[in-house]
Each structure stands twice: as structure tokens, then as C-alpha cells.
Amino acid sequence: MSLRTKLIAGTFGLVLGTSGLMAFLERWEGAGQNVVYADRLARGLPTVCAGITKHTSPYPVVVGDYWSDDRCGEVERLVVTKGQLMLADCIKNPAISQNTFDALYSHGHNNGVPSTCASRAMRLINAGKIADGCRALAYGPDGRPVWAYVTRADGTKQFVPGLHNRRIAEMELCLK
């Protein structure tokens, strides 16, 4: 039985869209962001609520549009549930905790679940090296920050301290 099937059946001990995860996402994605804005770190990608974009929303996401709290809540729950089920397909280690699952999802919410699934962190966690995998959410094997850079218009990479702070918070949540 796959982790996804166990999650749906409620037999794995992990829960989708916990209040802790939703609060964690709001901390990093913003709470009460009801007007769609052009996210400058994502090259102007229209974003609303807690990080909802055209890539995740069933509704159009148009800069300047207003989304009610009810619509934000509805779409956030939908996006998190769908994303966590996708993430569950990548997890092969049944020994992960809710905190590790939520930290991996936060990373996927910000970077895309396929990127998280293909990450060094996921490989380590699936190999049973959970603590090493958690640390890999924020640091490379050489100790340098990872997943904390944006690509500028000229193609160069720029370190973003706020992204690294989020990676550290994900690492800490993952290690709990």
C-alpha cells in the first residue's frame, strides 16, 4: 500500500493540511494577502493568499484582483491537499513524522513539489537518513545555503536571506 493510499485511508498517522502547517505557510507566504500581486522574487508571477499562483489555482490569478477570505481558504486547502498527496507519492520512508512531512510540503509549496521530490533532501529521507535530509533542506553537502537563491533577469543567481530563513525554519520543523 502506497503512502498516498495510507494517507487517504487515514492509516498512516499523518494528516493533510494540519493547522500547524497552515500557520507555518501563512508565516512565510503571508496571511490576509487578498489582492493578487506580482511576486518580485518569482519574476512577477501573480500570487495571492498564502502563495497561490496560476500554477496551483483552479481559478485565474490576475494582478489586482481581490480574493475573499473564503476563496483564499478554499483554494489554500485544495492546493495543500493536492500537493501533499503528490508529495506522498515521492516518500518511500514510512518512518517520517508529521513535522517532517509538513516541512517537506512547505518546501514543495515554495519550490514546486516535483523539485522537492527530486531533491537531495528527499533522497536522504527516503534512505532513512532523516536528520541529514532535514538539514539538506537548508544546506548543501559543503555547508552552503541551498534553495535560497533567485535568478535575476541577467541570469545571475542572487542570495535571498528571507528564503534562507525559511529553509532554516523548514529544517528545524523537519528535525522536530
Side-chain angles (χ1 to χ4, degrees), residues 30-50:
Q33 182 59 54
N34 297 82
V35 177
V36 180
Y37 66 98
D39 186 337
R40 65 178 180 80
L41 291 180
R43 294 186 183 174
L45 180 66
T47 305
V48 69
C49 309

Side-chain angles (χ1 to χ4, degrees), residues 45-48 51-62 67:
L45 180 66
T47 305
V48 69
I52 304 302
T53 69
K54 68 179 181 180
H55 301 297
T56 58
S57 174
Y59 304 110
V61 182
V62 179
W67 284 36

